[in-house]
Amino acid sequence: MNELPQQLANGLILGAMYGLIAIGYTMVYGIVQLINFAHGEIFMVGGFGALTVWLWLPEGFALGAAVPLMILGGIVVSVAFATAAERFAYRPLRTAPRLAPLITAIGLSIVLQQVVWMWYPDAKKDRPFPQFEGGPFDVFGANIQRGDLFVLIAAPLCMVALGFFVTKTRSGRGMQATAQDPDTAKLMGVNTDRIIVMAFAIGAAFAAIAAVAYGLKNGQVGFRMGFLMGLKAFTAAVLGGIGNIYGAMLGGIVLGVAESLATGYIGDIPGMELFGGGAWKDVWAFALLILVLLFRPQGLLGERVADRA
């Protein structure tokens, strides 16, 4: 029990990253009914965009002052790739059977991995990412690293900003209308193409912020990092209720906490010694998803936010 605050903190940090990435999955699905499996690689290229900004800065530049510039660089790269994918890969297939854009998304994911692997300098191995100097903070008995504070601050700020945008702005209301009935929204004067691009861009921006958090936490970025994080984020989106932006964040936090607790405690249960530790955390994450879907197939929060607005 002495480890419980630390395990909860670890889970919350991990879950906040999952949630930020999951928002991209759930926004795109809520509007165009597309599972964008390339979104994990959008997260990945955002991390390399942020790293590139850091490498361009003069030596000795303070990391605290560099982080906003790195976030901006990561967002620019992620949004550029996401909007290009929407325009040239997904939009021509909008009226095609759903399997076609799904296969396209998987292919695009592989292409983005290989592009970074081949063309980014030294990307064949993980690239070091800058880290904050100094020891951890003690928060209610848990040690929080300085880099981890970033995602704990960024995640709630992003959710507040997104909630305000969706409910209080004209574009946000257009996004809700498009999600609920795109044909009627178009008849009412909503530019649905612009709304769809906006959904891809917002999801990509959140993924880039998560990529900066990932780099600050782990001290490295790599061309493979988008696959598993993207898969976990998709799991979080389904867990919370695909199409529900608040459900995506809730699903991410639940998934992160469940992983952390399973890693710390499953091995202590008599007869379960072989199933504890970090090697099994992915198994327990998907076991949780299966249990939730068995008893609540619509996810924790169920229907889309647009249906309630």
Side-chain angles (χ1 to χ4, degrees):
M1 293 302 297
N2 292 335
E3 297 179 2
L4 183 60
Q6 187 64 57
Q7 296 294 349
L8 291 175
N10 293 341
L12 186 61
I13 293 163
L14 188 60
M17 279 193 284
Y18 289 158
L20 285 173
I21 306 170
I23 287 171
Y25 281 105
T26 209
M27 289 187 70
V28 170
Y29 181 85
I31 292 177
V32 293
Q33 305 293 293
L34 166 68
I35 302 297
N36 181 17
F37 277 120
H39 189 62
E41 276 55 54
I42 298 299
F43 157 80
M44 179 267 293
V45 297
F48 277 96
L51 176 62
T52 301
V53 171
W54 170 255
L55 295 176
W56 283 351
L57 292 173
E59 188 175 351
F61 201 91
L63 181 56
V67 166
L69 299 176
M70 294 165 68
I71 293 172
L72 182 60
I75 288 175
V76 168
V77 173
S78 288
V79 169
F81 274 94
T83 53
E86 190 282 328
R87 178 62 185 87
F88 299 108
Y90 299 139
R91 190 180 299 183
L93 299 174
R94 198 173 292 169
T95 57
R98 290 189 182 182
L99 191 58
L102 180 64
I103 294 173
T104 300
I106 295 172
L108 182 60
S109 171
I110 297 171
V111 167
L112 287 177
Q113 281 193 30
Q114 293 304 308
V115 165
V116 173
W117 181 79
M118 290 179 62
W119 298 108
Y120 196 91
D122 297 325
K124 293 179 175 62
K125 60 181 183 298
D126 291 342
R127 293 293 306 265
F129 202 86
Q131 298 232 277
F132 286 105
E133 297 180 355
F137 298 98
D138 184 87
V139 181
F140 301 112
N143 289 326
I144 308 295
Q145 300 295 330
R146 293 172 182 266
D148 294 337
L149 284 177
F150 171 77
V151 72
L152 293 178
I153 296 171
L157 289 178
C158 287
M159 287 304 301
V160 169
L162 182 59
F164 178 84
F165 173 80
V166 170
T167 58
K168 301 298 183 183
T169 67
R170 181 183 179 88
S171 295
R173 290 191 292 271
M175 192 173 290
Q176 294 181 49
T178 304
Q180 191 166 10
D181 190 335
D183 293 330
T184 302
K186 188 177 294 186
L187 291 173
M188 297 298 292
V190 176
N191 186 336
T192 54
D193 286 338
R194 184 176 67 86
I195 292 296
I196 292 169
V197 170
M198 192 179 301
F200 273 87
I202 293 173
F206 279 33
I209 294 171
V212 174
Y214 179 96
L216 291 174
K217 176 177 175 59
N218 296 289
Q220 60 186 19
V221 292
F223 73 95
R224 296 186 185 91
M225 74 182 197
F227 174 74
L228 188 56
M229 289 295 289
L231 195 59
K232 293 288 189 65
F234 173 67
T235 303
V238 175
L239 189 64
I242 190 73
N244 190 315
I245 57 175
Y246 302 110
M249 182 57 71
L250 176 62
I253 291 173
V254 170
L255 186 65
V257 171
E259 276 192 28
S260 182
L261 293 179
T263 301
Y265 295 111
I266 289 291
D268 295 334
I269 300 175
M272 299 289 287
E273 292 83 359
L274 294 177
F275 304 104
W280 284 84
K281 67 176 183 177
D282 299 335
V283 175
W284 294 116
F286 290 107
L288 173 65
L289 175 66
I290 292 170
L291 287 174
V292 170
L293 294 182
L294 283 174
F295 295 102
R296 189 173 172 82
Q298 69 271 38
L300 296 176
L301 294 189
E303 76 275 14
R304 297 180 307 196
V305 171
D307 295 332
R308 301 201 305 265

